Amino acid sequence: MAKKAKQNVDKIVKKVNKEFEKTSSQIEGLVNDALKQFDSLQNQVQEPVRKLLKEIDELRDREMKRFHEEFERRLEEFHELQSSILERLGVASKEAGEEVKKLTDEVSKEASTAAKKSAPKRTAKTASKAKASTSKPAAKKPAAKKPAARKAPAAKAAKPVDKSDLTLVKGIGPATAKKMKDAGITSIDQIANPSAEDQEKLKAFSNVKGYSQFTAEAKKIS
């Protein structure tokens, strides 16, 4: 009776162990499947995120490059504008100096004329010395006119234009002038009356502010 009871217990234990092993195997299989799915899902998520981060880096690099180029272009335009303003102010001061010089010459001429008109009145007081006094001013009159004759060539000497100075053209600053000379544009005449070859060279500066007026401004100078 005891043997039979023991056999029944052993069968039950074996059956329980077998079921336990079976259940453990199933659980282990489910865990493995879950891990595989998790790995697959993780790869699916990581790939788009990695791609998105790469696109963001590329976009950032492009925008930074564009920003630096735009900043440099604006800075160059500012320097050219500053140079142009300083050059115009210099020209204006020269013109003002010439006007002052002309006015001084006119005043000196008027003073000389007034002195000549007053000379006969003084000589009329002394009748005995009239002939001598009238002959002496006549000799001095040509000497008064000589300074005026000398000043005329000086004014003409200031007119010649250095056509190799491209900065005389409105809108062309020192930086642009240097680039133009490096490209083969070395004279204002090449801008005022460009050949087909010169036109192709000038097209490289079409992004410079005031480019459309370069020819017209150069013709004013030439």
Side-chain angles (χ1 to χ4, degrees):
M1 189 76 177
K3 289 182 179 180
K4 189 175 181 180
K6 187 177 180 181
Q7 289 176 355
N8 290 334
V9 170
D10 291 338
K11 288 180 180 180
I12 293 170
V13 170
K14 288 180 180 179
K15 187 175 181 180
V16 169
N17 289 335
K18 187 176 180 180
E19 291 294 331
F20 179 79
E21 290 176 357
K22 183 178 179 181
T23 303
S24 297
S25 178
Q26 289 177 351
I27 292 172
E28 186 177 356
L30 292 172
V31 171
N32 290 333
D33 292 339
L35 290 174
K36 289 179 181 179
Q37 290 179 1
F38 178 79
D39 291 337
S40 177
L41 182 61
Q42 188 176 21
N43 291 332
Q44 291 176 2
V45 172
Q46 285 180 346
E47 187 62 28
V49 170
R50 193 181 297 112
K51 186 177 180 181
L52 180 61
L53 292 174
K54 184 179 179 181
E55 290 176 354
I56 290 173
D57 290 337
E58 292 174 353
L59 180 61
R60 182 188 60 189
D61 292 339
R62 287 197 303 268
E63 288 300 316
M64 289 298 294
K65 183 179 179 181
R66 187 181 66 82
F67 172 80
H68 285 302
E69 291 175 352
E70 182 68 16
F71 177 79
E72 290 176 356
R73 186 177 69 82
R74 294 289 185 182
L75 187 61
E76 184 177 357
E77 288 180 357
F78 173 78
H79 286 317
E80 291 177 354
L81 179 61
Q82 185 182 38
S83 300
S84 178
I85 291 173
L86 292 175
E87 289 169 2
R88 297 299 173 188
L89 290 174
V91 171
S93 62
K94 289 180 182 177
E95 293 176 353
E98 291 176 359
E99 290 296 328
V100 171
K101 187 177 180 182
K102 289 180 181 178
L103 183 60
T104 304
D105 293 342
E106 291 176 359
V107 171
S108 63
K109 286 179 182 179
E110 291 177 359
S112 178
T113 304
K116 291 174 185 177
K117 288 180 180 179
S118 63
K121 292 180 182 179
R122 293 175 183 175
T123 55
K125 293 180 181 179
T126 55
S128 60
K129 297 180 181 179
K131 292 182 181 180
S133 62
T134 53
S135 61
K136 288 180 181 179
K140 291 180 181 179
K141 286 180 181 178
K145 293 180 180 179
K146 285 181 181 179
R150 290 174 185 173
K151 291 177 182 178
K156 291 181 180 179
K159 290 183 179 180
V161 177
D162 183 6
K163 293 187 177 182
S164 64
D165 187 1
L166 303 183
T167 60
L168 295 177
V169 179
K170 184 178 179 181
I172 298 179
T176 302
K178 184 178 183 304
K179 291 179 181 179
M180 283 186 171
K181 286 187 177 182
D182 293 341
I185 304 297
T186 58
S187 173
I188 293 175
D189 291 334
Q190 289 179 270
I191 303 174
N193 300 294
S195 63
E197 185 179 357
D198 291 337
Q199 288 178 0
E200 290 297 323
K201 293 176 181 178
L202 288 170
K203 284 181 181 179
F205 302 92
S206 59
N207 62 336
V208 177
K209 187 177 181 180
Y211 166 78
S212 60
Q213 299 298 321
F214 282 177
T215 299
E217 293 295 333
K219 286 182 178 179
K220 292 179 182 179
I221 299 172
S222 62

